[in-house]
Amino acid sequence: MLAIDIEQENKEIINRYRKLLKLAKPVLKDGDAKIIKKAFYASLQAHKDMRRKSGEPYIYHPIAVAQIAVEEIGLGTTSIVAALLHDVVEDTHLELEDIQRDFGPKVTSIIDGLTKISGVFEHGSSQQAENFRKMVLTLSDDVRVVLIKLADRLHNMRTLDSMPREKQLKIASETIYLYAPLAHRLGLYAIKTELEDLYLKYTDTEKYFEIAGKIKQTKSARDKFIKDFIAPITENLEKADFKFEIKGRPKSIFSIWNKMKGHTSFEEIYDLFAIRVIVDSQPENEKADCWKIYSIITDSYKPNPDRLRDWVSTPKANGYESLHTTVMSNTGQWVEVQIRTKRMDEIAEKGYAAHWKYKETGSSNKEAGLEAWLGKVREIIEQHDSSALDFMDDFRQNFFRDEVYAFTPKGELKILPNGSTALDFAFEIHSHIGSHCLGAKVNQKLVPLSYIVKNGDQIEILTSSKQKPSEDWLKFVVTSKARAKIKDSLKEDKKKIAEEGKEIIQRKLEHLKLELNNETVQHLITFFNVKSSLDLYYNVAKGIIEVPDIKRFKESLEQKKFEKKEPETKLNNLTKPAQTIGKDTLLIGDDLAKIDYSFAKCCNPIPGDDVFGFVTVSEGIKIHRTNCPNAVELVSNFGYRVIKAKWNSQKELSFLTSLNIIGTDRVGIINDVTKVISNELRVNIRSITIDSNDGMFEGSLMLFVNDTRQLDTLITKLQAIPDIVSVTRSSV
Ligand code: MN
C-alpha cells in the first residue's frame, strides 16, 4: 500500500475549498461565505473516513460537484451548500434532521430530493423508471435538485477511470439514455456535450481517441482556415462599431462520431466546426443587432437559404436563442455561423440558471419558453396515473425530442413535439376543441386528423359537437396531453356502457338464484378471463359475454363445489367430456366454457401452435405445445392421460406469450419497440424487463396475442427496428 501523506492531503483539500469560494465570490451575499464554510466542514467531518474508488479523499467529490454547480451551471449559495452535502444523508451517519437544524428547510428539501433519486437505475427496469419519475417530480418542485444531480453525474463521468469496467459501461449507458437528454432539455449544452463525449470515451474508446487525435492533427490547418475566413467579417463588424468576439470551435467528438456512423469518413465531414459571433448588445437592440451581423456576414459569403435557423425571434422551448446560418467559404466549404448576444451565449452554455439570472435583472422577456416547458412537465405529471414505465416512455417521447412550431388562425404560436399531428394541435389549443375535432385546414387546405404538423403551418381546427374521441385516435397522437384526454373520454364511454351490463348481469344472476356480490364478481372475472369488473360488465353489455355463458358459469360453480367434496372422482369426470367431443379431439376455442381446460404456463400455447391436451389430477385439462420442454416427459410417462387437441376458430381471445429481444443499446430503442407493439399492431403488453450491459440490451416481453399469425407479424416488425439483433419466442 502506498503511504498517504496526510498533511499534504489536508493542504490540498483546503486548496480546493478555497478555489470553490473564489469562484463563488461573485454570487455571494452577506453571510453566505459563512454558511458555505459550515457546510464544507460538516461534509468534511461526515466523510472523513471515506475514500473514492481512486483512493482520493471523498470530500474531493462534493467540492467538485459544488464547483460545477457554481462555475458551469451558475447556481448560487443554496445550491453550493446542497452540493457540498449531497451525499451525506445517503452515505454517512448524518440525518435529514441534522441538515434541517443546521441549514434550514430549503437545503433540506433539495438534499431530500437528491437522496430519493440517488438510486436511479440501480435495480432493474421498473425500479429505474420509478426513480426516473421521482426525478422528474423533483424537477417540477425545485429544478435545482436535478441540476445538482447533473453536476454530480458529470463529475462521476469525469472520474470514471477508477471504476471497474462493468460499472463504467452501466454508468455511461445511463448517462446517454437520460442525463444527456435531460441536460439538453434544460439548455445545458456544454454539459450535454461533455457527457456525450465521455459516454463515447468509455463505450467506443478506440473511435473516441481516433477522432480526438484527428481533431488535434488538423488543428493548425483549421486555425489557418478560420483566420482567413473571419478576416473580412472582423473588418466589417469593426467598421460597423460592434463590440464582439468570434470563436471557432470544432464540433464535439460525439457529434462527429455520429456523422461518421453514416459511413462518412472524418475527412469528408465538411462542417467539423462552427464559427460563433458573440456580440455585446443592449437588451433593446439584441434582435436588430443579430440580423445586422447576419447581413454583414452574408455580404462576404453566400448563405445556404435552406440552412437559416432563427431562434432569436422564436426561442427553443429550453430557452435557447441564436441565429444560425450556413455560408459558402472562398475555398468551397460550407461553414456554420452562429450569431448571438452575450446573454444568449451564456444561456446557451449554462442553461437554466443563467436564464433566471437574466430574468431577475429584467433584461429579458424571453424566459417564456422554459417556463412553459416546466409548466408542461407539471401538467404531464398531474395527468399521469399509468405505470412508471409508461411515464418514462411518454416523458422521453415528449420532452427529449425537438419541437415544431405552428400557428393558430389568429397567429398564436404553438410549440409541439416533432411528429405531432393536427389532432395534437387541436388538443394543444383546448381539450374541448380536441375532443370534438373533425378535421383541420392547414394553410387553407383540408387535411385529415392524422396530418403531421410542419414548421410554420397555420392550422385551423374544424369541430363538430357530434364528434367524440375514438380508440383510433390513440394511433396518431404523440403528445401526452392529447393521449390522456382521449383515454379519459374512452373510459367514460366504457363506464356508461358497463352500467347497462351490470344491470343485465344482475337480473340474470337473480334469475339463477345468485347474488351479485364481491365474491361472485371475482369468480366471474376469473371464469371469463377479463381484467376487471368494468371489462366484465362492458363485455356483457356488448354481448361478448352472453346469457348462456352466464348459465355455464353457474354450472362451473356447482361443479367446483362438488369437486371439493369428492376430489378422487375428478380424473374420471374430466376425461369423459373430452371424449364426448369431436371424436377424441378437444376443440379449443368454442368449448372454452363447456370443458374445464386451461393453457399450460410452462409453454403458453397460442392458436396456430401444435398442441395436445393433458389431463391433470387437480386442474382439469392443460393445453401444452408439442415442443414444450415438459412434453417429452408427460407424453412418455403418462400417455394415457394425453388427448388430442386442435384449435377451433376463436372468438376474440388473447393469449399470453413471451418474446426475447436482443439488441444494441441506444437512446429510444425501448420506445421504438413498445411503439411497434402497441401502436402498429395494437397488441397488449403485460410486462417488459430490460437488462443492458456492455452496450447490449436483452429484454423479455410478455404480451397478449390472438394467434401465431399475429405473433409472426410482430416478430418480423420488431426485427426490422434498427439496432435490434434478434427476436425470438421463449421456449418456456
Ligand atoms: Mn455524489
Side-chain angles (χ1 to χ4, degrees):
M1 214 182 116
L2 269 168
I4 297 164
D5 186 339
I6 297 290
E7 203 178 314
Q8 189 59 39
E9 220 172 61
N10 286 342
K11 258 190 210 158
E12 178 61 24
I13 292 171
I14 297 299
N15 277 342
R16 291 187 186 208
Y17 164 66
R18 286 210 180 113
K19 188 173 173 208
L20 170 69
L21 267 189
K22 210 172 123 198
L23 285 163
K25 209 159 187 189
V27 300
L28 296 186
K29 292 184 213 77
D30 287 349
D32 283 358
K34 235 170 110 186
I35 303 165
I36 293 172
K37 186 175 175 186
K38 191 170 156 193
F40 165 68
Y41 279 106
S43 180
L44 182 64
Q45 181 62 23
H47 291 297
K48 71 175 189 304
D49 298 321
M50 295 166 64
R51 285 183 181 272
R52 302 202 85 209
K53 278 262 158 34
S54 60
E56 289 177 333
Y58 195 88
I59 189 73
Y60 285 5
H61 170 64
I63 295 175
V65 174
Q67 191 176 322
I68 293 169
V70 62
E71 192 181 14
E72 295 174 57
I73 309 182
L75 294 169
T77 303
T78 308
S79 304
I80 295 170
V81 169
L84 283 169
L85 296 165
H86 81 271
D87 277 331
V88 297
V89 172
E90 168 119 44
D91 296 339
T92 78
H93 63 275
L94 281 188
E95 306 276 345
L96 270 183
E97 291 88 81
D98 303 317
I99 308 283
Q100 171 84 29
R101 187 191 57 229
D102 294 343
F103 300 97
K106 255 194 210 161
V107 172
T108 309
S109 82
I110 294 175
I111 291 176
D112 189 28
L114 283 163
T115 310
K116 276 187 190 135
I117 58 174
S118 70
V120 176
F121 293 104
E122 277 307 321
H123 338 262
S125 68
S126 62
Q127 185 66 31
Q128 128 188 353
E130 188 47 52
N131 278 318
F132 179 72
R133 165 141 75 179
K134 278 188 202 148
M135 183 149 90
V136 176
L137 279 168
T138 52
L139 173 73
S140 78
D141 267 4
D142 189 334
V143 76
R144 284 176 295 193
V145 175
V146 175
L147 294 173
I148 295 168
K149 186 75 197 164
L150 278 167
D152 183 29
R153 173 54 53 131
L154 180 59
H155 186 244
N156 286 334
M157 283 296 283
R158 282 177 181 168
T159 52
L160 208 53
D161 264 332
S162 40
M163 282 290 176
R165 183 69 186 142
E166 76 277 6
K167 271 249 164 130
Q168 288 180 346
L169 290 172
K170 190 162 169 264
I171 294 172
S173 311
E174 290 165 16
T175 301
I176 204 70
Y177 185 72
L178 276 182
Y179 290 94
L182 202 51
H184 178 88
R185 249 341 189 156
L186 291 167
L188 299 150
Y189 282 87
I191 288 179
K192 172 218 166 206
T193 305
E194 190 177 346
L195 288 176
E196 285 173 343
D197 279 359
L198 286 166
Y199 159 78
L200 191 63
K201 184 176 167 192
Y202 288 98
T203 51
D204 197 343
T205 312
E206 207 178 304
K207 265 270 156 349
Y208 173 87
F209 283 108
E210 185 192 315
I211 296 170
K214 284 194 169 155
I215 291 176
K216 226 176 176 179
Q217 274 169 33
T218 51
K219 188 176 185 301
S220 63
R222 193 169 48 243
D223 285 350
K224 161 118 188 22
F225 177 87
I226 292 171
K227 202 176 137 223
D228 294 346
F229 179 84
I230 64 173
I233 301 178
T234 311
E235 199 192 315
N236 291 332
L237 287 177
E238 275 168 358
K239 262 191 226 153
D241 260 348
F242 278 112
K243 268 203 268 167
F244 64 96
E245 186 189 355
I246 300 185
K247 289 181 191 166
R249 276 204 225 169
K251 295 215 164 145
S252 78
I253 299 174
F254 183 81
S255 67
I256 294 172
W257 172 76
N258 247 333
K259 288 209 165 141
M260 286 171 72
K261 277 202 299 197
H263 306 289
T264 318
S265 71
F266 183 86
E267 289 70 24
E268 283 167 328
I269 298 173
Y270 58 85
D271 53 349
L272 275 171
F273 57 90
I275 300 281
R276 188 175 298 163
V277 181
I278 301 158
V279 60
D280 211 347
S281 187
Q282 290 305 308
E284 63 276 17
N285 298 334
E286 285 193 306
K287 190 172 168 184
D289 284 351
C290 287
W291 284 106
K292 266 184 213 153
I293 292 169
Y294 171 83
S295 158
I296 287 171
I297 293 169
T298 50
D299 280 346
S300 305
Y301 301 108
K302 269 254 163 307
N304 179 341
D306 294 336
R307 299 289 296 270
L308 178 67
R309 299 284 180 272
D310 174 14
W311 287 302
V312 171
S313 312
T314 315
K316 287 193 185 185
N318 63 14
Y320 183 81
E321 292 168 72
S322 195
L323 188 60
H324 291 195
T325 179
T326 301
V327 300
M328 179 62 79
S329 71
N330 296 331
T331 49
Q333 269 176 291
W334 288 112
V335 176
E336 184 184 314
V337 183
Q338 307 171 346
I339 304 159
R340 54 175 80 151
T341 65
K342 257 188 159 167
R343 178 191 63 83
M344 296 174 188
D345 190 54
E346 196 175 344
I347 288 171
E349 294 288 315
K350 290 184 180 171
Y352 192 86
H355 213 108
W356 290 93
K357 185 176 109 191
Y358 282 102
K359 190 191 177 190
E360 276 163 22
T361 61
S363 63
S364 164
N365 58 357
K366 296 281 173 59
E367 68 280 347
L370 200 55
E371 191 139 32
W373 184 73
L374 279 169
K376 283 200 177 154
V377 169
R378 269 173 219 126
E379 202 174 273
I380 192 175
I381 289 165
E382 279 155 18
Q383 274 170 9
H384 245 279
D385 55 355
S386 54
S387 79
L389 216 55
D390 282 353
F391 175 77
M392 182 161 81
D393 269 353
D394 236 22
F395 190 85
R396 288 178 49 79
Q397 198 170 349
N398 272 280
F399 290 118
F400 290 168
R401 53 158 108 176
D402 274 335
E403 53 252 341
V404 53
Y405 305 83
F407 298 92
T408 67
K410 283 187 185 149
E412 195 189 332
L413 177 71
K414 296 283 173 196
I415 305 176
L416 295 158
N418 220 346
S420 294
T421 58
L423 189 55
D424 285 304
F425 185 85
F427 275 101
E428 187 60 34
I429 297 175
H430 196 281
S431 54
H432 186 79
I433 294 183
S435 299
H436 295 95
C437 179
L438 207 56
K441 269 185 171 172
V442 172
N443 311 325
Q444 317 297 341
K445 261 176 66 189
L446 205 62
V447 297
L449 294 176
S450 57
Y451 170 84
I452 291 174
V453 177
K454 293 186 190 64
N455 264 328
D457 278 348
Q458 186 158 43
I459 306 177
E460 183 190 344
I461 299 296
L462 310 170
T463 58
S464 154
S465 57
K466 289 197 185 98
Q467 176 74 309
K468 60 179 193 177
S470 76
E471 194 90 31
D472 275 358
W473 285 16
L474 291 172
K475 277 190 254 172
F476 49 77
V477 292
V478 303
T479 55
S480 31
K481 183 175 180 183
R483 187 164 284 278
K485 295 283 179 212
I486 294 169
K487 279 188 179 164
D488 279 355
S489 154
L490 292 174
K491 224 183 193 169
E492 273 312 304
D493 280 359
K494 199 172 172 178
K495 266 189 198 154
K496 270 185 211 143
I497 295 169
E499 299 265 301
E500 296 165 28
K502 190 175 177 181
E503 278 170 29
I504 297 173
I505 207 164
Q506 195 153 19
R507 275 203 307 273
K508 280 303 137 205
L509 289 176
E510 257 169 44
H511 208 72
L512 297 166
K513 308 237 160 13
L514 284 172
E515 198 190 330
L516 185 69
N517 54 24
N518 261 343
E519 197 190 352
T520 322
V521 169
Q522 278 315 312
H523 281 138
L524 282 160
I525 287 173
T526 326
F527 184 80
F528 291 110
N529 194 20
V530 289
K531 272 189 271 172
S532 60
S533 56
L534 180 69
D535 283 354
L536 176 74
Y537 300 146
Y538 180 80
N539 285 356
V540 171
K542 281 276 171 188
I544 298 165
I545 294 172
E546 290 173 296
V547 176
D549 297 323
I550 298 172
K551 274 191 190 146
R552 262 184 242 127
F553 162 72
K554 198 197 174 189
E555 282 158 27
S556 90
L557 269 190
E558 283 160 0
Q559 174 97 350
K560 268 192 190 137
K561 276 181 201 147
F562 176 64
E563 279 160 15
K564 267 183 197 152
K565 280 178 208 149
E566 291 181 66
E568 60 279 6
T569 60
K570 171 87 175 175
L571 188 63
N572 285 336
N573 271 346
L574 279 167
T575 44
K576 262 183 207 154
Q579 280 160 3
T580 56
I581 289 162
K583 297 149 205 114
D584 288 336
T585 302
L586 171 66
L587 287 175
I588 313 164
D590 285 347
D591 310 307
L592 183 63
K594 276 187 218 147
I595 309 174
D596 189 9
Y597 73 77
S598 57
F599 298 101
K601 295 232 162 50
C602 50
C603 56
N604 290 317
I606 63 174
D609 280 336
D610 275 339
V611 289
F612 64 92
F614 187 78
V615 183
T616 64
V617 179
S618 55
E619 294 176 77
I621 300 171
K622 289 263 176 202
I623 309 295
H624 290 264
R625 276 151 67 182
T626 46
N627 59 359
C628 167
N630 297 323
V632 175
E633 197 201 331
L634 294 177
V635 177
S636 55
N637 293 334
F638 308 98
Y640 60 96
R641 282 158 67 180
V642 172
I643 54 172
K644 275 190 229 160
K646 70 176 195 197
W647 300 98
N648 206 347
S649 58
Q650 304 83 41
K651 297 178 192 172
E652 286 280 17
L653 285 176
S654 295
F655 296 83
L656 191 63
T657 189
S658 118
L659 288 181
N660 270 336
I661 298 195
I662 295 172
T664 340
D665 207 353
R666 66 159 158 86
V667 178
I669 195 155
I670 299 179
N671 205 359
D672 291 351
V673 168
T674 50
K675 240 173 47 201
V676 164
I677 297 173
S678 43
N679 294 6
E680 287 199 51
L681 291 154
R682 317 212 29 219
V683 171
N684 279 324
I685 306 173
R686 180 161 127 180
S687 67
I688 305 184
T689 31
I690 304 275
D691 266 321
S692 63
N693 62 53
D694 275 33
M696 296 289 290
F697 83 90
E698 184 162 10
S700 142
L701 307 174
M702 301 286 286
L703 322 152
F704 288 101
V705 294
N706 295 326
D707 52 29
T708 45
R709 245 192 29 220
Q710 193 187 19
L711 185 64
D712 290 343
T713 321
L714 180 63
I715 290 174
T716 317
K717 288 225 170 165
L718 288 173
Q719 271 164 344
I721 297 175
D723 298 318
I724 294 287
V725 178
S726 81
V727 182
T728 46
R729 184 169 169 198
S730 305
S731 56
V732 289

